[in-house]
Amino acid sequence: MSTVIALETSDVRFPTSSQLDGSDAMNLDPDYSAAYVRVVTDADDGVEGHGFVFTIGRGNDVQVAAIRALEHHVVGKNAEELLADMGATWRSFVWDSQLRWLGPEKGVMHMAIGAVVNALWDLKAKRAGMPLWQLLARMSPEEIVALIDFRYLTDALTPEDALQILRDAEPGRAEREAQLLAGGYPAYTTTPGWLGYSDEKLVRLAKEAVADGFSMIKLKVGGDLEDDIRRMRLAREAVGPDILIGTDANQRWGVDEAIAWMKQLEPFGVAWIEEPTSPDDILAHAAIARGVAPIPVATGEHVQNRIVFKQMLQAGSMSVLQIDATRVAGVNENIAILLLAAKFGVPVCPHAGGVGLCEAVQHLSMFDFIAVSGTTEGRRIEFVDHLHEHFVTPTDVREGAYWPPATPGAGTEMLAASRSEFEYTETQAAERLHV
Amino acid sequence: MSTVIALETSDVRFPTSSQLDGSDAMNLDPDYSAAYVRVVTDADDGVEGHGFVFTIGRGNDVQVAAIRALEHHVVGKNAEELLADMGATWRSFVWDSQLRWLGPEKGVMHMAIGAVVNALWDLKAKRAGMPLWQLLARMSPEEIVALIDFRYLTDALTPEDALQILRDAEPGRAEREAQLLAGGYPAYTTTPGWLGYSDEKLVRLAKEAVADGFSMIKLKVGGDLEDDIRRMRLAREAVGPDILIGTDANQRWGVDEAIAWMKQLEPFGVAWIEEPTSPDDILAHAAIARGVAPIPVATGEHVQNRIVFKQMLQAGSMSVLQIDATRVAGVNENIAILLLAAKFGVPVCPHAGGVGLCEAVQHLSMFDFIAVSGTTEGRRIEFVDHLHEHFVTPTDVREGAYWPPATPGAGTEMLAASRSEFEYTETQAAERLHV
């Protein structure tokens, strides 16, 4: 028996804005950051659970404060009990009646819950001696269904529906696990396409992406139409006709603008248009999807919870669903979203990049392949080649694929040296203001 | 010329949970709280702008941290410039590209923006020597339209639409201001209906409400169906056939449950069903609205922003729209929502109660009557008789009406003595844990 004795937080910020890595039409100067949490127990194995919320700089301290507000749900509790019933543990966070007022189930407080939930999954997987994808993919359909809160979902997905999806996938699990280990999981790359890069850098990186084995790249759009047309032409010339090119507007447009803009880019061959408008706008996404067809609409990295995803699927707002490892309330909620996607037959192509998002989200796609959707058809995990060196188990991306991690845990543990070097202190804050 | 020299915050919590005031099916033991902010300038008039976010206890500190994260947008700035173009000021907060990641436009960070925006409006109104309702109601249609960010709204409301609504209402402004001063603005009361109250207390308070001149009361429902049926019967017997009785489920249900439950309460005469399900669920609200008709669906106190309100109006999810003074990004965004409601012909009945919500939101309804919708037909502001004594300008509610405040400002200033007495410190936190 062990007890959780601390929820240790830290404010980690990488000064990425100096390179314009990660620049797009809405996020001009991100400093990729993590509101980081460690779940520490008194067990003598020294094993800790690590999790984080990804942010882009300012406000990372607010996110840290929100994680601290969850302390009473974890510290002093029996660790085995918390980990044994992760469905109940999840509900204890999300249904805290006072904290719930701060959302409900959205924004800072919901993401904080996600960090703690993910840290507990990291602890659970480490204790089980398995990478998270494998731990999840070996749970029974009943155990998986018990992780999910079906309130507000049953008009689209009932527990019985979920159980059926999982049972249908059960016979092929072992075969698909072997396939995954032998062939990896498909990836695509956003590295070439940031708005802040020059045309020369775009072309060079696009060619490198193809040489590296990627079958899809993605370009940020939505800043200036003439620029976008030129960049799309350059990218298409660089990669040739057979490589997919996705586009990402990062919420820039209203309905009419989105449709008109994409008509101009369509001739270059567009794999999808991502985040054409507000992530809250289910009906506008549906109108855009009708207006830009046959270009698929992709969205999800800023979709606040399973309830909005459910409606987007009901309304036909998206034909590609993009989960994010740290936007919703962690692994449990993302499993609910994977099951919703499976029910509606929509492929899941996770958002990643940032700090540690690749490391974390790959586990969910691999679990999905083995135990939920049973396919990688039309599915790719985003890959951005930034900041992986700071993680204990950095992604292994080669030949256009993510190769499944073998290390126990959820992939969310950052190196202690990196956490320490990039910890954001009052002194650093003052220094950055005066640079 | 004056400069903003400080954004002072405080964590104010009233221990209301000891009385079960404010208890409902989701909020079992709220401690009504305010994450409070003062905008201080170096002007020698000593006038400050005050604002707050209402919370129900835990997490109030997170909300305070979020307000502090906005300091760089205000402190050191020219106060006259900030106040002269409140549209630009609003956008500087909401479009902060790094902070935006924490929402966007929802939850803790968005509510923090609301507190600061409202504090600036308080300062602006005090400097103008007018109560906020009057300041707003005397702005030109063009000035009002300039307060609003139309991004994500134009598929339902264009600047031209907004201008037309405001211009149509302009000729009657003076007459309606006189009407308001002579007759007040209609109110309804939730005081009798909290779930934690005994049947005897419910009946006594319901009769008192009628005696006090209210034409509508509201009951919390959704805990237990048999209890709700008994309480509805008791309430109807107590108030007679002519008084409206609203019901409020505080997000308890899914679609089918909401419809089935309300069929059981319908025979007692239901003025509306409020928050039947998740505030994020536009499509479920629409399905419930169809299923419970002719009972109207009311919602909004937890609706995160104007984009979700827009969709609820487009989808027919609500026939009563309930704005809240501190849920969205302040006065500017609530004006956008009032204009959307006017465009769709849906009456606005604000959510209030809590700490200072009555004091704040009445200004918006009074402005709406004079300059936007031009009517109080089907409209009432919620009234709960709690904690008004802590405000510099407490509401004046008599004869079932809110009487327009004459004091300059937005109504959001809490007495210094109350802020000091109920400031939540580490010591108090420890004491409450050990009671």
Side-chain angles (χ1 to χ4, degrees):
Chain A
M1 203 208 94
S2 64
T3 302
V4 178
I5 54 170
L7 202 67
E8 299 282 356
T9 54
S10 48
D11 182 339
V12 182
R13 307 193 194 189
F14 299 92
T16 47
S17 61
S18 59
Q19 303 295 316
L20 291 187
D21 293 342
S23 56
D24 61 47
M26 293 290 259
N27 307 301
L28 302 174
D29 56 349
D31 284 319
Y32 283 177
S33 303
Y36 198 86
V37 60
R38 289 160 50 217
V39 175
V40 184
T41 76
D42 61 4
D44 53 16
D45 58 7
V47 173
E48 298 176 351
H50 290 225
F52 57 86
V53 180
F54 168 60
T55 82
I56 60 173
R58 281 188 297 281
N60 204 48
D61 49 331
V62 179
Q63 203 55 73
V64 168
I67 293 171
R68 286 201 189 122
L70 293 161
E71 198 174 1
H72 65 291
H73 285 292
V74 182
V75 175
K77 305 274 179 180
N78 179 307
E80 287 74 30
E81 280 176 18
L82 285 175
L83 299 178
D85 188 350
M86 284 293 288
T89 299
W90 189 89
R91 282 188 291 273
S92 75
F93 300 146
V94 174
W95 294 98
D96 178 315
S97 70
Q98 295 190 352
L99 291 178
R100 190 171 167 77
W101 193 270
L102 303 184
E105 302 192 51
K106 59 182 65 75
V108 168
M109 206 61 237
H110 204 55
M111 293 192 281
I113 291 173
V116 178
V117 166
N118 286 349
L120 288 170
W121 278 105
D122 183 51
L123 181 60
K124 187 175 167 99
K126 285 171 177 167
R127 285 187 170 191
M130 280 188 272
L132 178 65
W133 64 266
Q134 197 169 48
L135 173 72
L136 294 172
R138 292 183 178 188
M139 289 172 77
S140 72
E142 291 76 11
E143 287 171 325
I144 295 167
V145 167
L147 299 174
I148 296 167
D149 187 341
F150 284 90
R151 192 185 295 212
Y152 309 140
L153 292 187
T154 52
D155 55 324
L157 180 81
T158 64
E160 296 70 35
D161 294 336
L163 209 51
Q164 195 58 52
I165 291 166
L166 293 162
R167 282 185 181 149
D168 288 350
E170 215 176 359
R173 283 185 179 189
E175 189 188 332
R176 285 191 297 272
E177 181 168 333
Q179 259 180 273
L180 178 71
L181 290 165
Y185 194 103
Y188 77 91
T189 179
T190 310
T191 298
W194 302 106
L195 275 190
Y197 289 176
S198 68
D199 287 354
E200 290 67 28
K201 191 167 182 180
L202 162 65
V203 167
R204 175 169 57 78
L205 293 174
K207 287 181 174 169
E208 283 178 22
V210 178
D212 288 344
F214 291 102
S215 56
M216 174 172 168
I217 64 168
K218 193 168 77 184
L219 260 60
K220 299 290 182 175
V221 299
D224 176 273
L225 180 57
E226 292 310 311
D227 284 347
D228 285 352
I229 293 172
R230 189 187 70 255
R231 288 158 43 81
M232 273 299 284
R233 177 179 295 119
L234 288 169
R236 178 54 74 201
E237 287 168 5
V239 302
D242 298 331
I243 301 293
L244 298 177
I245 305 180
T247 58
D248 182 355
N250 292 86
Q251 315 168 24
R252 282 290 287 199
W253 302 317
V255 173
D256 294 342
E257 199 181 3
I259 296 169
W261 201 292
M262 290 313 298
K263 291 283 171 215
Q264 300 289 313
L265 301 185
E266 191 179 359
F268 302 101
V270 178
W272 72 52
I273 173 60
E274 178 174 331
E275 286 208 303
T277 191
S278 165
D280 304 345
D281 208 331
I282 296 149
L283 302 180
H285 271 88
I288 292 167
R290 290 188 297 270
V292 302
I295 298 174
V297 169
T299 198
E301 73 179 87
H302 282 87
V303 170
Q304 65 207 37
N305 60 34
R306 69 206 177 284
I307 305 159
V308 176
F309 274 115
K310 177 194 71 170
Q311 294 174 79
M312 287 188 157
L313 292 165
Q314 289 173 316
S317 307
M318 49 163 70
S319 26
V320 175
L321 187 154
Q322 301 177 302
I323 56 170
D324 178 283
T326 80
R327 174 68 53 185
V328 300
V331 168
N332 301 52
E333 188 160 7
N334 267 322
I335 292 176
I337 296 163
L338 292 173
L339 283 160
L340 281 164
K343 172 86 188 286
F344 284 84
V346 166
V348 175
C349 295
H351 169 250
V355 176
L357 297 179
C358 300
E359 279 71 14
V361 86
Q362 61 179 338
H363 290 270
L364 297 169
S365 280
M366 291 171 187
F367 157 70
D368 176 76
F369 170 52
I370 298 170
V372 185
S373 73
T375 177
T376 58
E377 184 72 33
R379 289 154 172 85
R380 287 173 179 84
I381 306 169
E382 184 167 20
F383 178 67
V384 190
D385 198 5
H386 293 156
L387 306 173
H388 302 291
E389 64 277 19
H390 300 293
F391 283 81
V392 171
T393 313
T395 50
D396 177 15
V397 172
R398 287 172 285 120
E399 301 156 49
Y402 275 78
W403 295 86
T407 320
T412 40
E413 183 168 349
M414 198 186 286
L415 293 169
S418 297
R419 280 185 270 132
S420 162
E421 182 179 350
F422 294 97
E423 179 145 28
Y424 194 69
T425 59
E426 294 292 321
T427 319
Q428 273 188 292
E431 274 170 12
R432 285 195 202 173
L433 276 177
H434 294 95
V435 161
Chain B
M1 201 208 96
S2 63
T3 302
V4 178
I5 54 171
L7 201 66
E8 298 283 355
T9 55
S10 47
D11 182 338
V12 182
R13 306 194 196 189
F14 299 92
T16 47
S17 60
S18 58
Q19 303 294 317
L20 292 186
D21 293 342
S23 56
D24 61 47
M26 293 292 258
N27 307 301
L28 302 174
D29 57 350
D31 284 319
Y32 283 177
S33 304
Y36 199 87
V37 60
R38 288 160 51 215
V39 175
V40 184
T41 77
D42 61 4
D44 53 17
D45 57 7
V47 173
E48 297 176 352
H50 291 226
F52 58 86
V53 179
F54 169 59
T55 82
I56 60 173
R58 281 188 297 281
N60 204 48
D61 49 330
V62 179
Q63 203 56 73
V64 169
I67 293 171
R68 285 200 190 123
L70 292 161
E71 198 174 359
H72 64 289
H73 284 291
V74 181
V75 175
K77 305 276 179 179
N78 179 308
E80 287 73 30
E81 279 176 19
L82 285 176
L83 299 178
D85 187 351
M86 285 293 288
T89 300
W90 189 90
R91 283 188 289 276
S92 74
F93 299 146
V94 173
W95 294 98
D96 178 314
S97 71
Q98 294 190 353
L99 291 178
R100 190 171 167 77
W101 193 270
L102 303 185
E105 300 193 52
K106 59 182 63 74
V108 167
M109 206 60 235
H110 204 54
M111 293 192 280
I113 291 172
V116 178
V117 166
N118 286 349
L120 289 170
W121 277 105
D122 183 52
L123 181 60
K124 186 175 167 97
K126 285 170 176 168
R127 286 188 170 191
M130 280 188 270
L132 179 65
W133 64 267
Q134 197 169 48
L135 174 72
L136 294 172
R138 292 183 177 188
M139 289 172 75
S140 73
E142 292 75 10
E143 286 171 326
I144 295 168
V145 167
L147 299 174
I148 296 168
D149 187 342
F150 284 89
R151 193 185 295 211
Y152 309 139
L153 293 187
T154 52
D155 54 326
L157 180 82
T158 64
E160 295 69 34
D161 295 335
L163 208 52
Q164 194 57 53
I165 291 166
L166 293 162
R167 283 186 181 149
D168 288 349
E170 214 176 1
R173 282 184 178 191
E175 189 187 334
R176 286 191 297 271
E177 182 169 334
Q179 259 181 273
L180 178 71
L181 290 165
Y185 194 103
Y188 77 91
T189 178
T190 309
T191 299
W194 301 106
L195 275 191
Y197 288 176
S198 67
D199 287 354
E200 290 67 30
K201 191 167 181 179
L202 162 64
V203 168
R204 175 169 58 79
L205 292 174
K207 287 181 174 169
E208 283 179 21
V210 178
D212 287 345
F214 291 102
S215 57
M216 173 172 168
I217 65 168
K218 192 168 78 183
L219 260 58
K220 299 291 182 173
V221 299
D224 175 272
L225 180 56
E226 292 309 311
D227 284 348
D228 285 352
I229 292 173
R230 190 186 70 255
R231 289 157 44 80
M232 273 299 284
R233 177 179 296 121
L234 288 169
R236 178 53 73 201
E237 286 167 8
V239 303
D242 299 331
I243 300 294
L244 298 178
I245 305 180
T247 58
D248 182 356
N250 291 88
Q251 315 168 23
R252 283 288 286 197
W253 302 318
V255 174
D256 294 343
E257 199 181 3
I259 295 168
W261 200 294
M262 291 313 297
K263 290 285 172 212
Q264 299 289 312
L265 301 185
E266 191 178 358
F268 302 101
V270 177
W272 70 52
I273 173 61
E274 178 174 332
E275 286 209 306
T277 191
S278 164
D280 304 346
D281 208 331
I282 296 148
L283 301 180
H285 271 88
I288 293 167
R290 290 189 297 271
V292 302
I295 298 174
V297 169
T299 198
E301 73 179 84
H302 283 87
V303 170
Q304 67 207 35
N305 59 36
R306 69 206 176 284
I307 305 159
V308 176
F309 275 114
K310 177 194 73 173
Q311 294 175 79
M312 287 188 157
L313 292 164
Q314 289 173 316
S317 307
M318 51 163 68
S319 25
V320 176
L321 187 154
Q322 301 177 302
I323 56 170
D324 177 283
T326 79
R327 175 67 55 185
V328 300
V331 168
N332 301 52
E333 187 161 9
N334 266 322
I335 293 176
I337 296 163
L338 292 173
L339 284 160
L340 280 164
K343 172 86 188 284
F344 284 85
V346 166
V348 175
C349 294
H351 169 250
V355 176
L357 297 179
C358 300
E359 279 71 15
V361 87
Q362 60 179 338
H363 291 269
L364 297 168
S365 279
M366 292 171 186
F367 158 69
D368 176 75
F369 171 52
I370 298 171
V372 186
S373 72
T375 176
T376 58
E377 185 71 32
R379 289 155 171 85
R380 287 174 179 84
I381 306 169
E382 184 168 21
F383 179 67
V384 190
D385 198 6
H386 293 158
L387 306 173
H388 302 292
E389 65 277 18
H390 300 293
F391 283 81
V392 171
T393 313
T395 51
D396 178 14
V397 173
R398 286 172 286 121
E399 303 157 45
Y402 275 78
W403 296 85
T407 321
T412 40
E413 184 169 348
M414 198 185 286
L415 294 168
S418 297
R419 280 185 269 132
S420 163
E421 183 180 348
F422 294 97
E423 179 144 28
Y424 193 69
T425 58
E426 293 293 320
T427 319
Q428 274 187 291
E431 275 169 14
R432 286 195 201 173
L433 276 177
H434 294 95
V435 163

